[in-house]
Amino acid sequence: MGIRTGTGTGTRRMTVAQAVVEYLSKQYTVDRIGTEDYRERLIPGTFGIFGHGNVAGVGQALKQYQAADPTIMPYYQGRNEQAQAHQAVGYARHTRRRQTFAISTSIGPGSSNLLTGAALATTNRLPVLLLPSDTFATRAADPVLQQLEQPYAYDITVNDAFRPLSKFFDRVTRPEQLFSAFHHGLRVLTDPAETGAVTISLPQDVQAEAFDVPEEFLAEREWRIRRPDADDEDIRRAAEAIRAAKRPLIIAGGGVLYAYANDELAKFVELTGIPVGNTQAGVGVLPWDSRFSLGAIGSTGTTAANAIAAEADLIIGIGTRYEDFTTASRTAFQNPDVKFININVAAIDAYKHGTTLPIVADARKALVKLNQALGGYRVGGDLEQQVAAEKQRWDTTVDEAFDTRHTPLPAQNEIIGATSRAMDAQDVVICAAGSLPGDLHKMWRVRDPFGYHVEYAYSCMGYEIPGGLGVKRAALAEAAVGGAQRDVVVMVGDGSYLMMHTELVTAVAERIKLIVVLIQNHGYASIGSLSEMLGSQRFGTQYRALNEEQHSFDEGDTLPVDLALNAESLGVKVIRIEPGEKVIAELEQAIRDAKAAPERSGPILIHVESDPLLDAPSSESWWDVPVSQVSDLDSTQQAYQTYTDHKSRQRKLLG
Ligand SMILES: Cc1ncc(C[n+]2csc(CCOP(=O)(O)OP(=O)(O)O)c2C)c(N)n1
Ligand SMILES: [Mg+2]
């Protein structure tokens, strides 16, 4: 069967869902990086879990196009709607926001299961196209199964919950609305300053409705990624401020990577000697051993970056949102005269910290201009020496943390060291929540701009496996056109694993070689340690059998849970590392063995146990988590004292 072509009248009779699928198959992004042009499909595939709402409309359309030509709009499965959004986000991050997936859901729970995925994408400024189905526009069969009925507002459906979580929202209640909904939806999806979740709600009857679609709507179309240049006067004023600075510091975020500005940044720091601290999304802007890289900054930072930040008189934020972890909840910068220059494509970020020196521009273009405007400026030798000394001190701390050998259960630090040693430079490590993200931020020795993806804007437990699968899909596509061959290694805690591991089945179905290092520590090491610091004595943070008398989960036996067996039961190849003297050596070898397995041989999970009480080296920093002001517990009263001491160092909120 072929797809019907034009009738000669300039229109084609098709359903709304068919028009959506064909339209999306014709959309391309074009991105000029320096002198190179990238042209790729914006939506290389569509995920769907079918139920009433999309089984006939979008489902029929996908089937019809698959039958005609499977490359028009490849269909992908997932086991959970939220996880599908995570896959799309992982893909979008690795393709530097040039590509993402569309996700079709059934109505009601199918749609509302996507909400966390929408919030994660929007918070991370990463594009996803969400197409949740909706109840009848005609109200013919109201209330349908899974319909939310609100007596005060008949037009509300669960899909309205996407509005605050999306960067663009529309509902297509008439076929004619399709054109503006998708045109403006894709405008936002491909806009570096605006992107996030784009949600277009599709009522189930409208999806199946036929209308005359103009050929023009179905023609190939290119969306050029805008790379706006910096204003000359903004650059002149910024250069003046930099020349006047004695202790400038760059904070580099994810925006540097999305703008492919890392080479320009390297040139900039080489010329000026200004050191760089990086955010979670900015790991990879410089290789870890660059002499200008102080590594991670803030609450999960290195002592090197935090020592330099404390005295900095000028912060040059590039592509950063200044999340509270980055600023150590606004205690990182203690110089009373500190000023901020913020280079960001999004005005909301460029204006943060009350700055009078915003540069609303593409990071790469702004750096090219700043490099020219600075002509010969270089920081003093004393700052360069201090940077070298602080860096040396931190590197020794990490060497020690990697090289201790606790038995029978290792510290997580040692597991990170082993994983990092076993991986190649171009491989990608993935994480999102628990104690791992902070530990990785501090200690991971990144060697490639694509080598590290820790989702730490939303830090969503359960992102790790689906997000990693999305990254691996993108890495496979990259390799298929002659790019780097990358193994993707997901590091995940038992809590996150239990929350969402079912995309392992998707990896099994598609024989995708995703490598997972699962760290079993019987609960929440991260929140346990935080709880203890705040005087709450690790309450509710361990997985233990219920003590019925005390109604407590804190003291009982660990649970007879076997997560290795759980993964095995899903069809995953599993390597168990038994506790003992050789844990670290065996883990390192297991990762090397997993890497040696052929592509397309399916997912591999390595199960290792760890001691949750052995923490990573301190950042000598702080994070604002409010402590109870009054309490019957001594531990809480003491924690409140410490809290007020730190609180007094917090800078007032200026924008
Ligand atoms: C969806 C979600 N719920 C709750 C949290 C709060 N939270 C952050 S880390 C964490 C525990 C993670 O446990 P695990 O994956 O075992 O990692 P560990 O702390 O043991 O390293 C929790 C509950 C979160 N980040 N995401
Ligand atoms: Mg855990």
Side-chain angles (χ1 to χ4, degrees), residues 412 433-436 458-461 464 492-497 499 519 521 523-527 543:
Q412 190 160 276
S435 54
L436 276 164
Y458 213 51
S459 186
C460 183
M461 285 172 78
E464 297 85 350
V492 62
D494 56 318
S496 274
Y497 180 89
M499 208 170 273
I519 301 180
N521 58 18
Y524 307 156
S526 51
I527 309 298
Y543 291 152

Side-chain angles (χ1 to χ4, degrees), residues 432-644:
S435 54
L436 276 164
D439 297 359
L440 290 168
H441 192 209
K442 280 178 202 178
M443 296 191 284
W444 192 256
R445 293 180 158 172
V446 72
R447 292 169 279 167
D448 183 288
F450 289 86
Y452 181 96
H453 170 40
V454 174
E455 184 285 292
Y456 211 63
Y458 213 51
S459 186
C460 183
M461 285 172 78
Y463 174 82
E464 297 85 350
I465 289 171
L469 188 54
V471 171
K472 182 65 189 184
R473 286 183 190 284
L476 286 169
E478 181 191 10
V481 294
Q485 307 271 336
R486 301 181 195 274
D487 279 311
V488 173
V489 179
V490 171
M491 297 192 75
V492 62
D494 56 318
S496 274
Y497 180 89
L498 282 169
M499 208 170 273
M500 193 176 287
H501 58 270
T502 45
E503 289 314 301
L504 285 172
V505 177
T506 305
V508 168
E510 298 184 44
R511 292 180 286 278
I512 296 176
K513 194 181 88 171
L514 184 70
I515 302 171
V516 178
V517 176
L518 167 59
I519 301 180
Q520 170 62 279
N521 58 18
H522 299 279
Y524 307 156
S526 51
I527 309 298
S529 145
L530 181 64
S531 167
E532 199 163 302
M533 235 159 18
L534 306 180
S536 303
Q537 304 173 18
R538 293 191 180 250
F539 176 74
T541 62
Q542 296 165 85
Y543 291 152
R544 296 281 189 274
L546 173 68
N547 173 327
E548 290 185 32
E549 221 168 283
Q550 307 286 330
H551 191 77
S552 166
F553 293 95
D554 293 337
E555 288 95 24
D557 293 336
T558 53
L559 307 178
V561 170
D562 187 340
L563 297 182
L565 197 57
N566 171 273
E568 229 157 44
S569 77
L570 302 177
V572 177
K573 182 171 184 295
V574 171
I575 306 174
R576 288 171 191 263
I577 310 293
E578 299 301 337
E581 300 269 303
K582 299 210 190 91
V583 172
I584 294 304
E586 284 174 10
L587 172 65
E588 205 174 317
Q589 189 54 46
I591 297 170
R592 291 185 200 282
D593 291 347
K595 276 177 57 58
E599 265 330 336
R600 295 283 162 208
S601 58
I604 302 167
L605 181 138
I606 301 162
H607 181 277
V608 60
E609 288 189 51
S610 170
D611 184 338
L613 301 180
L614 300 171
D615 287 336
S618 167
S619 285
E620 296 172 11
S621 182
W622 183 64
W623 183 40
D624 189 346
V625 180
V627 178
S628 303
Q629 297 187 347
V630 292
S631 164
D632 297 336
L633 302 174
D634 284 349
S635 59
T636 313
Q637 288 167 13
Q638 276 165 26
Y640 185 65
Q641 269 312 317
T642 315
Y643 179 73
T644 48

Side-chain angles (χ1 to χ4, degrees), residues 200-476:
I200 301 177
S201 177
L202 298 172
Q204 51 185 334
D205 48 352
V206 179
Q207 283 183 35
E209 200 172 329
F211 75 129
D212 295 318
V213 182
E215 296 278 6
E216 199 185 342
F217 181 67
L218 302 169
E220 257 187 27
R221 159 165 197 145
E222 290 179 349
W223 298 85
R224 201 176 60 76
I225 308 274
R226 203 179 317 119
R227 302 283 182 188
D229 209 347
D231 181 280
D232 286 336
E233 180 57 13
D234 285 345
I235 291 289
R236 193 191 62 74
R237 285 157 47 87
E240 202 173 274
I242 294 172
R243 273 195 296 267
K246 297 266 175 304
R247 301 184 60 86
L249 168 68
I250 291 168
I251 298 184
V256 173
L257 296 173
Y258 300 138
Y260 288 82
N262 39 305
D263 288 347
E264 205 55 43
L265 179 71
K267 213 189 290 176
F268 185 77
V269 299
E270 198 70 53
L271 287 172
T272 60
I274 303 177
V276 180
N278 53 256
T279 71
Q280 280 276 13
V283 177
V285 296
L286 294 174
W288 75 278
D289 52 357
S290 151
R291 74 187 165 100
F292 302 102
S293 176
L294 294 162
I297 191 155
S299 310
T300 52
T302 68
T303 51
N306 289 335
I308 301 293
E311 293 177 46
D313 58 357
L314 178 70
I315 301 296
I316 308 169
I318 313 177
T320 174
R321 301 163 57 230
Y322 286 109
E323 197 211 86
D324 70 339
F325 268 80
T326 301
T327 66
S329 300
R330 295 186 182 243
T331 60
F333 318 118
Q334 288 295 319
N335 185 326
D337 300 321
V338 64
K339 288 192 175 56
F340 292 82
I341 293 172
N342 302 328
I343 302 172
N344 208 297
V345 74
I348 181 176
D349 299 315
Y351 277 79
K352 283 178 179 171
H353 286 273
T355 190
T356 56
L357 297 167
I359 300 178
V360 182
D362 174 75
R364 190 173 167 280
K365 290 198 171 160
L367 279 170
V368 169
K369 276 195 171 172
L370 257 189
N371 262 339
Q372 287 161 0
L374 273 173
Y377 166 86
R378 194 166 179 94
V379 299
D382 50 338
L383 180 61
E384 292 201 58
Q385 273 167 22
Q386 193 192 349
V387 164
E390 290 288 359
K391 197 171 157 54
Q392 181 61 49
R393 178 164 79 99
W394 179 254
D395 288 348
T396 309
T397 306
V398 175
D399 284 341
E400 282 165 10
F402 281 178
D403 291 343
T404 45
R405 289 289 175 267
H406 293 90
T407 51
L409 295 182
Q412 190 160 276
N413 307 327
E414 300 159 41
I415 294 176
I416 291 173
T419 309
S420 133
R421 285 191 298 275
M423 283 170 66
D424 291 316
Q426 76 281 4
D427 294 343
V428 193
V429 68
I430 310 287
C431 195
S435 54
L436 276 164
D439 297 359
L440 290 168
H441 192 209
K442 280 178 202 178
M443 296 191 284
W444 192 256
R445 293 180 158 172
V446 72
R447 292 169 279 167
D448 183 288
F450 289 86
Y452 181 96
H453 170 40
V454 174
E455 184 285 292
Y456 211 63
Y458 213 51
S459 186
C460 183
M461 285 172 78
Y463 174 82
E464 297 85 350
I465 289 171
L469 188 54
V471 171
K472 182 65 189 184
R473 286 183 190 284
L476 286 169

